[in-house]
Amino acid sequence: MRSYFNQQAPLSFISVFLLFVPAGIVASFFPLYFRDVGYSGELYGLQNALLPIVALLSNYMWSILSDKLSRIKLLLIGLNLMSLLSVAVMFTLKNPFGVMASMLTYQFFAAPVAVLVESFIMLKSTSLKLSYASLRSAGAAGFSFAALIVGITLGFITGLQPIGYMFLLFMAFALISLIPVSDPRRPSKDSIELVEKVSMKEAWPLFREPQVLLFLLVSCLCGIAMVMSDQYLSFLLVDLGGTSFHNGLAWMIPAGVEVVVFIIIGRHGSGFHPLFMLALSTFLFAVRSLMIIFTMNLAVLLFSQAVMGIAIAIYLSYTAQYMIQLIPDRYRSTGQAVMSMFMSVFAATVGAVVGSYLFSQMDIKAVFIVNCGLLVLATICFLGLHIRDIRGSAQPPNQRLTL
């Protein structure tokens, strides 16, 4: 068992690190590339509205397949390979509509990767007896590394075309890193544990429980605010006089802070109630938005990204902890897919539509004002769920909500 840990722990950290590098490139620099190839505000808004719909179909298909087959690694390799090919085609096109079609194709394969990677981290951390936060810190480090290295590179190279080549290179590294890592859904060679048969008919009633639905709805509210912020951050940086270096720095700062906070949570954060910590995270998100609204200053914006890094690490860690409590491991990928449906379909679609309307009809400041209001509401709702959980735990066992 010790030799298994010694082999798999470092390999898992390396793989998670590399799997998040392409995501860092997409989030921080693809919006600038879309503008460079001639995207209009309306076309960008249309793409942002279509991406969640594609993600919904793809997430369900691949996540259910993962639970039915009890496999994650093989699917991650196949999906990452198809994502690589999609982006390779996209960066050969110059027509905005052709680029959008390639981006939608990329989303079909990349969206379930995000879901399966989260499931991979949850299950792998359990099998290695690590905390979710400690293994997830490697992903935050990969995201931070991507934003930094691409930002520095673009400071010395003219144009945004090198983004594509860097994405393909790191995607290839991620694929190679998965090969020696064992699949957390499959028993190790030394284990006598059998693969558990999964019936999806038993899974769906879990997601209709009030405790699960209320949590997903409040998470969706928070997701709407996050989408509005993330999709227009690069535009705000440009409006405030930022360069490609500032854009990379703006995405590197929160990811770098996340690494530290994930490590702290992994060591000392197990004693806190997840819903209370989620309320704290959304409050910090709101504080960050207020800093932007009242200053509209590039230096303050970059500083506010450190606050966002703290909030994101708390949010992801305790969302994962609460999902682990709510959903059995055998339905881990499906549970993450349902979570993704609320976040990527409802949250992303509403966030994209509302953000696009506010940006085109008013200004970018209005985007962050509405973003702040939603975050304050999410904070109140998470506190309400926390109080509901505390009261429920005080009831006799036969009266508590069970899954």
Side-chain angles (χ1 to χ4, degrees), residues 15 37 43 74 91 109 138 154 180 196 218 224 232 255 261 265 288 292 312 326 332 360:
S15 186
V37 297
L43 186 61
L74 186 62
F91 277 89
F109 297 110
L154 290 180
E196 186 176 2
V218 180
I224 293 171
Y232 291 93
V261 179
I265 293 173
R288 177 250 185 182
I292 296 172
I312 289 175
L326 292 179
R332 182 60 54 216
S360 59

Side-chain angles (χ1 to χ4, degrees), residues 112-154:
V113 168
V115 173
L116 293 177
V117 166
E118 286 297 321
S119 300
F120 175 87
I121 295 172
M122 290 179 186
L123 295 170
K124 200 69 175 176
S125 61
T126 300
S127 66
L128 294 175
K129 306 248 182 323
L130 297 168
S131 67
Y132 165 87
S134 63
L135 187 53
R136 183 59 174 75
S137 67
F143 194 98
S144 178
F145 170 80
L148 175 63
I149 195 68
V150 177
I152 292 174
T153 301
L154 290 180

Side-chain angles (χ1 to χ4, degrees), residues 339-368:
M339 180 73 175
S340 176
M341 179 194 75
F342 278 81
M343 298 297 283
S344 66
V345 177
F346 298 123
T349 301
V350 173
V353 171
V354 174
S356 178
Y357 174 81
L358 293 171
F359 181 66
S360 59
Q361 299 298 319
M362 300 179 193
D363 56 26
I364 201 162
K365 188 174 182 178
V367 174
F368 283 88

